[in-house]
């Protein structure tokens, strides 16, 4: 089983719908991140969390919210999806005191029609 | 503040020839630097990392990178390309050793390997 698991892997939805992307990890890491990938733009940070009680906005948090339900679970929500949120979303984890290496899930491809 | 620039959005090489993917960075701190690879429809995998130890870093699959502070560069090289190296590559700078704890990604370089 993968150490960082994202669900769903693919989702097609309509404008205005609420969407939740879920991430769970078995690595025991305290830090979790949500990134968005668009062609030619690399990965951009949406939100990050250093522990269950810590949530921080990244560079492109508008239109998104997150919940850290447990150390191992970090969910990303789109309250009212819009077409320009069509992208590939990655969850990543890291360990405090380590080198900064990120461990990624396989990605969740979201299409908003 | 930190940033990273991958100087080539696309690189095309022939199988068996050297690979050079260029990356420049800026950081207000002593940076950690990483190269990740992404194969089609896959997540990102770590190729190698620099964390203030040896400046020449060896990674998986024959890749290596050299940290040059004076040039603020961290270029990725491989002596001989293989077809399986075709992928997208990301250079990343991290302020992990600060309270910011964030990573900044380059825009990526797509490597094409021709037979």
């Amino acid at each position: 089983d993968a150490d960082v698991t994202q669900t769903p892997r693919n989702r097609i939805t309509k404008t205005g719908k609420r969407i939740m992307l879920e991430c769970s990890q078995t690595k025991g890491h305290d830090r979790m991140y949500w990134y968005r990938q668009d062609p030619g733009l690399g990965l951009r940070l949406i939100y990050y969390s250093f522990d269950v009680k810590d949530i921080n906005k990244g560079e492109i948090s508008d239109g998104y919210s997150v919940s850290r339900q447990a150390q191992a679970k970090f969910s990303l929500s789109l309250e009212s999806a819009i077409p320009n949120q069509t992208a590939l979303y990655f969850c990543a984890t890291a360990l405090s005191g380590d080198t900064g290496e990120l461990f990624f899930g396989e990605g969740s491809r979201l299409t908003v029609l | 503040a930190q940033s990273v620039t991958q100087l080539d959005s696309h690189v095309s090489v022939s199988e068996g020839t050297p690979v050079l993917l260029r990356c420049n960075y800026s950081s207000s701190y002593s940076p950690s630097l990483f190269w990740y690879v992404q194969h089609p429809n896959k997540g990102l995998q770590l190729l190698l990392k620099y964390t203030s130890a040896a400046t020449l870093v060896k990674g998986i699959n024959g890749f290596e990178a050299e940290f040059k502070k004076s040039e603020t560069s961290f270029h990725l090289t491989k002596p001989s390309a293989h077809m399986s190296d075709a992928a997208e590559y990301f250079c990343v700078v991290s302020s992990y050793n600060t309270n910011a704890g964030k990573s900044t990604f380059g825009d990526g370089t797509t490597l094409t390997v021709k037979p």
Side-chain angles (χ1 to χ4, degrees):
Chain A
D1 288 341
D3 294 325
V4 183
T5 302
Q6 293 183 231
T7 55
R9 293 291 313 281
N10 289 283
R11 182 71 181 268
I12 300 174
T13 191
K14 295 182 179 180
T15 298
K17 294 292 188 181
R18 183 177 187 273
I19 295 296
M20 179 180 286
L21 306 180
E22 298 185 329
C23 177
S24 63
Q25 53 115 345
T26 58
K27 299 192 72 66
H29 289 173
D30 50 344
R31 298 185 175 190
M32 297 187 75
Y33 304 80
W34 276 104
Y35 287 92
R36 168 178 172 158
Q37 183 180 22
D38 296 280
L41 295 179
L43 273 71
R44 293 179 291 167
L45 184 62
I46 306 173
Y47 271 96
Y48 62 104
S49 169
F50 285 175
D51 66 38
V52 174
K53 297 180 181 179
D54 177 78
I55 301 290
N56 303 282
K57 292 182 178 180
E59 57 184 304
I60 56 163
S61 60
D62 287 348
Y64 302 94
S65 62
V66 291
S67 173
R68 185 84 182 264
Q69 301 96 323
Q71 187 186 41
K73 296 184 181 294
F74 193 38
S75 300
L76 176 71
S77 294
L78 289 69
E79 295 301 326
S80 180
I82 56 177
N84 76 1
Q85 292 178 312
T86 293
L88 184 57
Y89 292 85
F90 284 103
C91 176
T93 71
L95 183 63
S96 295
D98 193 35
T99 61
E101 179 182 350
L102 294 168
F103 296 81
F104 287 88
E106 293 276 286
S108 295
R109 185 169 297 281
L110 176 65
T111 302
V112 184
L113 301 176
Chain B
Q2 62 188 23
S3 66
V4 60
T5 302
Q6 292 184 239
L7 297 168
D8 307 289
S9 58
H10 291 87
V11 170
S12 181
V13 301
S14 296
E15 190 174 21
T17 65
V19 175
L20 170 64
L21 305 183
R22 299 181 294 164
C23 173
N24 288 348
Y25 71 92
S26 68
S27 176
S28 303
Y29 309 98
S30 297
S32 296
L33 292 158
F34 304 81
W35 277 99
Y36 290 87
V37 61
Q38 183 184 26
H39 291 279
N41 300 314
K42 294 291 187 181
L44 281 75
Q45 178 186 17
L46 181 72
L47 271 180
L48 49 79
K49 59 186 175 184
Y50 166 78
T51 57
S52 77
T55 57
L56 182 62
V57 181
K58 295 187 184 299
I60 61 171
N61 300 331
F63 285 94
E64 63 181 38
E66 186 171 8
F67 173 70
K68 292 186 176 181
K69 186 175 181 179
S70 61
E71 299 176 11
T72 60
S73 69
F74 190 58
H75 301 334
L76 181 70
T77 61
K78 183 174 181 178
S80 177
H82 191 273
M83 295 298 290
S84 62
D85 294 328
E88 186 150 21
Y89 292 79
F90 294 97
C91 182
V92 179
V93 60
S94 175
S95 60
Y96 201 79
N97 54 355
T98 70
N99 289 332
K102 292 189 289 185
S103 299
T104 301
F105 284 72
D107 291 343
T109 298
T110 300
L111 176 64
T112 300
V113 182
K114 298 175 291 186

